[in-house]
Amino acid sequence: MAAGAEDPVTGAQLVAQALRAQSIEYMFGIVGIPIIEVAFAAQAEGIKYIGMRNEQAACYAASAVGYLTGRPGVCLVVSGPGLINALSGMANANMNCWPLLVIGGSSDRNQETLGAFQEFPQVEACRLYSKFSARPSSLEAIPSVIEKAVRSSIYGRPGACYIDIPGDFVNSHVNRTSVRYAECCLAPPVSLADTLAVSQAVSVLMNAQRPLLILGKGAAYSCAEKSIRKLVDQCGLPFLPTPMGKGIVPDNHPNCVAAARSSALLHADVIVLLGARLNWILHFGLPPRFQPDVKIIQVDICAEELGNNVKPAACLLGDVSVVTEQLLEQLGKQSWRYSSSSVWWDDLKEKMKQNEESAMALAVQKSLPMNYYTVFHHIRTLLPKDCIIVSEGANTMDIGRTVLQNYEPRHRLDAGTFGTMGVGLGFAIAAAMVARDRNPEQRVVCVEGDSAFGFSGMEVETICRYNLPVLIIVVNNNGIYSGFDESVWKEMLTQGDPAILVPPLFLRPNSHYEQVMSAFGGKGYFVQTPEELQDALKASLADRALPSLINVMIDPLSDRKKQDFPWLTRSNL
């Protein structure tokens, strides 16, 4: 083409080409005016587009891709209500520290302040939920703004970013030669901790009587599993994974003390936090869950996180993987190893044995309806070791975390730091898309409470439309936390207005959620006994051709075993 010749490109094409240039692979969304053409352009560039049924689920899926791959997934939404629906996913990504890029269509620029269709201050609203929020000043600026958004989402503490695309940008043309193209941003720089801080941390750890490693999802995201496994094995240290830290070191490793979680937190005198935060999940690091004089060694990529809630004995600012290598090097020079014959180990092992026996006693109960532990015992026995487990709900998620084991990192997704309900099916769809590309034989198993399933149940159609290898297990107790049986329900309906009489926690009993899966061409199972559960699990796992949903009825009053401390700590701080 001669110099200066016209080479027109649309705004939609610029968005898609810029995303592809930044190595973006997946886009989730719901199309409509004004961003339909963006989705088509993305597919033309080889980006996989997954059309969802709700913007919340689309945003959850895109954020899960960011966690699983280290490169943000894209959530594409329409203006106004579409973008507002995605805000929950942006907030969840920011709280979890997962990379995410939301692209929202918006009103035409020449209609601003006139009362345009779905007009809303989108850039301003998204600043509360993201690391970066901007509208390109022109079509020519689109690639450079997208590069900055992608880079911002993965550099430092990962998080959500937003780009606003006015409707009149989408189909407008510009000469390609005038566009400010941007090269693919590099992988995030890897930072080492200060050597003096490492020496200080090693000194504190070597003087510990009751040491404990806590493995957070930040360590999983940084792919620190090799260095952390070496630290555990070389130094003989007990470790406790946070919910999404499970699998960094396999749950069946002899040094895993998850079965004695409360006791380990309560009595440890030195704790090494590897990519974990002292928030509500770890009871803020404060008494009565922790010793008042416990020494905390923090390893985190975010400087602002160091010193939150407690004064650390050592602060190691840097990438979890390489900082762990620094610790290993120093400890190796000292030839230090924690004694496996210590009283601390004896106490932990005794507590683990007691808790495991208590859980097993519940699991082998023969009475019907089944309880949580019976259900999870049979699921655990049959699940493939490499499957990705997605879990959400109240008791379903919390009890499932203690029973269902993970053997590989980044193989568990749940409600996370924000405690968000409704993430399950979006996460499962994202995990299945990534698995399909990277490990086609891998299964995704989504274990949900019946209340949690209700948040995003229509995404079952999405799963069936794309024929994703997802097995959904709904643990159905007829309510939120607890419910009641059908006889009580029928009697209650005869006594007056259900809006007055039905307790807020209760849902309709014996709901056939499996029929939702059957309605869209998948396979549904309604099970009430351990034998039916085993048969349904075996059939679902054997049949890769169809997505499946197993609706498992349990005792509406089933609960978790007695805990030393409740999971949620209430604080007056």
Side-chain angles (χ1 to χ4, degrees), residues 69-84:
T69 69
R71 210 73 181 174
V74 172
C75 177
L76 181 68
V77 295
V78 300
S79 52
L83 184 277
I84 293 169

Side-chain angles (χ1 to χ4, degrees), residues 92 242-244 246 280-281 372-373 376 389-404 406 412-424 427 446-450 452 473-475 477 481 554 560 563 567:
N92 188 67
T242 64
M244 273 189 275
K246 285 164 62 69
W280 67 275
I281 292 176
Y372 284 105
Y373 292 89
F376 287 127
I389 299 174
V390 180
S391 185
E392 67 169 329
N395 289 339
T396 297
M397 182 177 66
D398 292 343
I399 298 173
R401 168 182 52 82
T402 66
V403 179
L404 301 180
N406 290 95
R412 188 179 195 275
L413 300 164
D414 67 20
T417 307
F418 212 26
T420 309
M421 292 295 104
V423 297
F427 283 2
C446 184
V447 186
E448 307 223 306
D450 50 329
I473 302 172
V474 177
V475 183
N477 70 346
Y481 301 109
I554 67 169
R560 67 191 75 188
Q563 297 173 285
W567 177 251

Side-chain angles (χ1 to χ4, degrees), residues 7-10 14 17-18 138-144 174-182:
D7 184 10
V9 60
T10 68
L14 281 173
Q17 291 167 8
S138 63
L139 269 69
E140 292 87 345
I142 286 175
S144 58
V174 66
N175 192 344
R176 193 182 299 274
T177 58
S178 66
V179 175
R180 300 199 298 271
Y181 286 100

Side-chain angles (χ1 to χ4, degrees), residues 6 83 128 182 255-256 302 323 329 342 438 460 464:
E6 288 292 320
L83 184 277
L128 294 173
N255 290 29
C256 180
C302 178
V323 172
E329 183 180 2
S342 68
R438 300 188 177 188
V460 166
C464 290

